[in-house]
Amino acid sequence: MAEINCSHCHLKFEKEQMIPESIDDKELYFCCNGCQGVYHLLHNEGLDSFYTKLGKNTINPPKHLDENVQKFDLDSFQKRFIKKTLQGFSQIDLIIEGIHCAACVWLNEKILYSTDGIIEANINFTNYKARIVWDDSKIKLSDIILKIRSIGYDAYPYDSNIADEKATKAKRDYFMRMIVAVFGSMNIMMLGVAKYSGFFTGMDDDVKAMVHFGEFILTTPVLFYSGWVFFRGGYYGLKNKIINMDFLVASGATLTYIYSMYILFGGKGESYFDSVTMIITFVLVGKYLEVIGKKSAVDTIDKIRSSLPLDATIIKDGTKQSISVDEIKIGDILELKTGEIAPVDGTIISGNAAFDESSITGESLPIAKTIGDTILSGTINTNSLIRYQASKDFSHSTISSIVTLIEDSLTSKSEIEKKANEISKSFSATILSIAFLTFLGWYFLAPELFYAVDANRFEKAFIVMISVIVIACPCALSLATPIASLVGISELAKNGLIFKEGRFLETMAKANVLVVDKTGTITEGKLTVTNFHKHKEFDINLLYSLVSSSNHLISKAIKSYLENHTESLKFIDLEEFRTYDAKGISATYNNISLLGGNSSLLNDYNIQHLNNSNSSIFYFAIDNQLVATFDLEDIIKKDAKEVISKLKEFGLDIVMLTGDNNNVASKISSLVGIDKAYANLSPIDKATYIDDLKKSGKIVVMAGDGVNDALALSKSDIAISMGNGADITIATSDVIILDNSLQGLLKSFEISNKTYKLIKQNLGISLIYNAVTIPIAMAGYVIPLVAALSMSLSSLLVVGNSLRIKNGKK
């Protein structure tokens, strides 16, 4: 019976079993109703070009639309896998099953983007991980899964535990393949000693044939088992029209194997089975080191994740219950005993204790916490039982957010890495062309003096071609950027520095302007009142109520001062409360106007006052009459001057922006060595200043920790927030310094610059290596064995150079 291809999945079936149909005078045949339905779906959506992109590739027929998709809408599932974006949309990472080629990625993205309610759908072709953002009010997750299944694919949530299992499995798999390759190589070397001894002293043809057969037995499992990873990688590369490193290794080893088989079965010349095993072994060692590097990155994440418990004790209806950490809700009351780890962020409501925060901030000494203080997930209660109220669920807690950010940064690529990948793609095709031309040159043009006998002409030309293919493998070029970036990101994470994307390493290394906020960045952010001047008698409770209504650092400092120096304070309900950006606050009480803030705010209301202090000044006025003045000072961080000096060594132009007055700004900047300082700036002024810098061609990094810095941070090329900064600041930042230290800021620049420098060194090593070794190989001075060793050594050199980041060497 005749077999024909299904018009959708392209699989072959007997014609009699197919479903015939005619669309637009075009004869079509489908293997099942599912394929027929998908074809109509794509045709109606105008996506027929999918079949052009698919070419001769085959795909799986559509899956049945199971009822079990309802599990994706369960609360328990959504709490575990779904996050909320800043805009309030839902977000999930899915693994799309059934993707075989770029056409599959294109089809899935097109279908998802054309679905009402889906905001974003990006699929990573290398690992088939899809990030989907959607509007819950328009579409449910189960409908999205059904949409994916309707076109022949399936989806399940990305789970970091699965990723860890796969990384461990890959490491074990590569290790077993490497063991087989090493075993075969060591034994074939012993046979090689006999063969090459016989080459100089003489060897019977029968003995020589036995040696060749022994080499064949040892080489075959090495090529087809140990070397399977290269065949697989080369196959998928060709399917996507890419000639990659795996294809070069597989083709070089296979051609050498075939030629050696020809010699084994009676051809004239020497076999090169030993070269086949060495090519596979040496390159596999490089691959194994790469897998170890990736597993090391996963282990870094595991170490952070392992600091969290699996269950927690909550107080509900007066009784204690043990629940999974995934089930904790905002507002739940949790009990934490001595030695236990906080599973989520929250606020203490009962008891006091000291907490070990070294896993988050790196602080070695325990921090005392009492009622009203915030505790972070991943920190350890060291000495007393407490109860606290959860302010975040598990997936949004501090430690979980850190893990997510590190995972995202490890999968992102810098611009220099993207460029290197593009070079390596065209590089492989160029090398194959050079190798083929080398073969033709040696076979047809090389003088006779290069050959012992004319019969060896083909063998010599063939072996030189193989040497060119093997020695020029772009392993080092392919490893140059990802390995260095991987080590850099992992090292940053160990130092409490979270880069949300790997590409920020390159941007920070290229930065030429660092903008810093004053309060909380250069200073400790802990204002204290140094002087209190009462100009007129007034009800102190009015001031206390006004500052209690604000979370600003100055308001908190004054509130604390009043509580420590005044008895019987009481809170009064104020009306018409208002905040003025970078100026102050106002309110009313029984038609009395209350005003508190800096000199700029008083100028707006034409209130007379003096401003001749080098401290921050808070003015309090009632009915536009100044009644009290507070002088406040903030402690400069002890290492600020030293860090600023070292940061200047990176060629950075350092600028301080603050909403404080000129006197304070000048005093702080001169003490720490900052040459440029701008005062009395609103959040919009700060953002405008950064915009102007970028328009002039500067690459700007900004560090800040307050809500008033959020706008300016969003305008900078790299936004750095201190770990104790406001949630909105951290959300808009690219880099988070968990321990809130200026040393962390310095370390960010040090590791970024070192990583970028080593990336450029790695690229230089790989390019110089190829520029030197390829001509030598073309000239016939390198045998395949030495070519494989040389290529592997270049990869090891790149890996070793990248590890200098981890070892702290310059």
Side-chain angles (χ1 to χ4, degrees), residues 265-501:
F265 291 108
K268 294 182 179 180
E270 297 295 328
S271 69
Y272 290 91
F273 286 117
D274 51 353
S275 295
V276 176
T277 59
M278 293 302 176
I279 289 170
I280 297 297
T281 302
F282 288 139
V283 182
L284 202 58
V285 168
K287 276 273 193 181
Y288 180 65
L289 288 175
E290 184 180 352
V291 170
I292 288 178
K294 291 180 178 178
K295 180 66 174 69
S296 175
V298 174
D299 288 342
T300 299
I301 297 172
D302 285 344
K303 287 178 182 177
I304 300 174
R305 188 187 290 114
S306 65
S307 64
L308 283 177
L310 298 176
D311 51 28
T313 301
I314 69 168
I315 310 300
K316 195 169 185 179
D317 298 328
T319 60
K320 297 180 182 180
Q321 299 179 17
S322 180
I323 63 171
S324 168
V325 291
D326 292 321
E327 298 177 53
I328 298 174
K329 300 175 183 177
I330 296 175
D332 280 349
I333 305 301
L334 290 87
E335 185 174 88
L336 206 63
K337 300 175 183 176
T338 301
E340 291 186 337
I341 301 170
V344 295
D345 298 1
T347 304
I348 297 178
I349 60 172
S350 172
N352 51 73
F355 279 80
D356 178 358
E357 297 187 346
S358 58
S359 61
I360 302 294
T361 65
E363 173 60 55
S364 57
L365 297 176
I367 308 296
K369 303 276 185 176
T370 187
I371 295 174
D373 288 339
T374 298
I375 59 175
L376 304 175
S377 60
T379 59
I380 305 171
N381 179 359
T382 61
N383 63 355
S384 181
L385 181 137
I386 65 157
R387 289 184 179 181
Y388 75 101
Q389 188 171 35
S391 60
K392 295 181 181 178
D393 58 22
F394 177 73
S395 62
H396 294 90
S397 64
T398 297
I399 202 76
S400 295
S401 298
I402 290 171
V403 170
T404 301
L405 291 174
I406 295 175
E407 287 176 337
D408 289 343
S409 67
L410 290 172
T411 58
S412 63
K413 291 182 174 65
S414 62
E415 288 301 315
I416 194 170
E417 183 174 351
K418 291 176 183 176
K419 291 175 184 176
N421 288 343
E422 289 300 317
I423 293 172
S424 66
K425 290 176 184 177
S426 57
F427 178 84
S428 301
T430 302
I431 291 305
L432 282 181
S433 302
I434 291 174
F436 181 68
L437 292 174
T438 300
F439 172 82
L440 295 178
W442 274 92
Y443 188 76
F444 292 107
L445 303 176
E448 295 295 332
L449 60 91
F450 283 98
Y451 306 102
V453 291
D454 192 60
N456 290 334
R457 179 177 287 271
F458 175 81
E459 178 183 348
K460 179 67 176 179
F462 181 81
I463 293 303
V464 172
M465 178 185 73
I466 296 299
S467 297
V468 172
I469 291 175
V470 174
I471 207 169
C473 271
C475 298
L477 188 62
S478 299
L479 288 172
T481 50
I483 285 295
S485 297
L486 199 68
V487 177
I489 289 290
S490 299
E491 195 63 19
L492 285 162
K494 290 177 184 176
N495 283 276
L497 308 168
I498 308 302
F499 277 51
K500 290 185 179 180
E501 292 188 37

Side-chain angles (χ1 to χ4, degrees), residues 642-654 669 672-675 746:
E642 177 191 357
V643 169
I644 295 299
S645 176
K646 289 183 178 180
L647 285 170
K648 288 181 177 179
E649 294 176 6
F650 292 105
L652 292 167
D653 185 11
I654 302 178
S669 60
V672 300
I674 295 176
D675 300 323
L746 176 62

Side-chain angles (χ1 to χ4, degrees), residues 506-514 650-652 699-701 718 749:
E506 179 180 348
T507 307
M508 185 171 282
K510 292 179 177 179
N512 42 36
V513 178
L514 171 62
F650 292 105
L652 292 167
I699 299 176
V700 184
V701 175
I718 297 285
F749 277 96

